[in-house]
């Protein structure tokens, strides 16, 4: 049995629907375990930062991209003890290339 069932489900759903060229899922739950809203939560998978690069985001504004991801993860967001906070960075492969080029230019 997996020790990260929420993260596993996120990875499967995002990969199947969006075929990302980049998918990074960071579980930041331990940094938030002391928060009032988390008192009594038994889940260790409540706060995530996710970076997704996908062709599926082409010609879509950020809010539309985020709605796609929220719809994919609806079950995990609504479940008691599920995702409490989800920080998304969504971009197209071209946007990722520009970002990488910018970072290289700054070195």
């Amino acid at each position: 049995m997996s020790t990260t069932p929420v993260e596993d489900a996120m990875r499967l759903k995002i990969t199947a629907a969006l075929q990302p060229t980049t998918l990074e899922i960071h579980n930041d739950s331990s940094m938030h375990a002391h928060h009032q809203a988390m008192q009594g939560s038994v889940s260790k998978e409540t706060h995530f930062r996710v970076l997704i690069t996908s062709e599926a985001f082409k010609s879509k504004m950020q809010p539309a991209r985020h709605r796609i991801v929220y719809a994919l993860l609806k079950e995990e967001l609504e479940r008691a003890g599920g995702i409490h906070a989800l920080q998304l960075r969504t971009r197209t492969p071209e946007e990722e290339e520009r970002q990488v080029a910018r970072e290289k230019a700054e070195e």
Side-chain angles (χ1 to χ4, degrees), residues 20-51:
T21 53
T22 302
L23 176 58
E24 296 176 14
I25 300 176
H26 303 274
N27 184 343
D28 294 335
S29 304
S30 63
M31 294 187 282
H32 301 276
H34 65 283
H35 289 179
Q36 184 68 36
M38 296 296 95
Q39 298 306 310
S41 176
V42 293
S43 177
K44 300 290 185 233
E45 295 184 282
T46 56
H47 291 69
F48 291 93
R49 277 180 300 121
V50 183
L51 167 64

Side-chain angles (χ1 to χ4, degrees), residues 14 18 20-24 49-58 60-70 72-73 86-96 98-99:
I14 292 169
L18 301 176
T21 53
T22 302
L23 176 58
E24 296 176 14
R49 277 180 300 121
V50 183
L51 167 64
I52 308 166
T53 302
S54 174
E55 287 284 340
F57 295 140
K58 255 195 165 94
K60 291 182 176 52
M61 302 296 285
Q62 288 296 336
R65 295 174 183 187
H66 289 198
R67 281 193 296 273
I68 291 167
V69 179
Y70 293 144
L72 289 173
L73 303 178
L86 184 61
Q87 180 183 348
L88 297 174
R89 285 189 54 213
T90 53
R91 54 193 185 185
T92 65
E94 293 77 19
E95 291 166 343
E96 182 175 56
R98 286 195 299 270
Q99 179 66 34

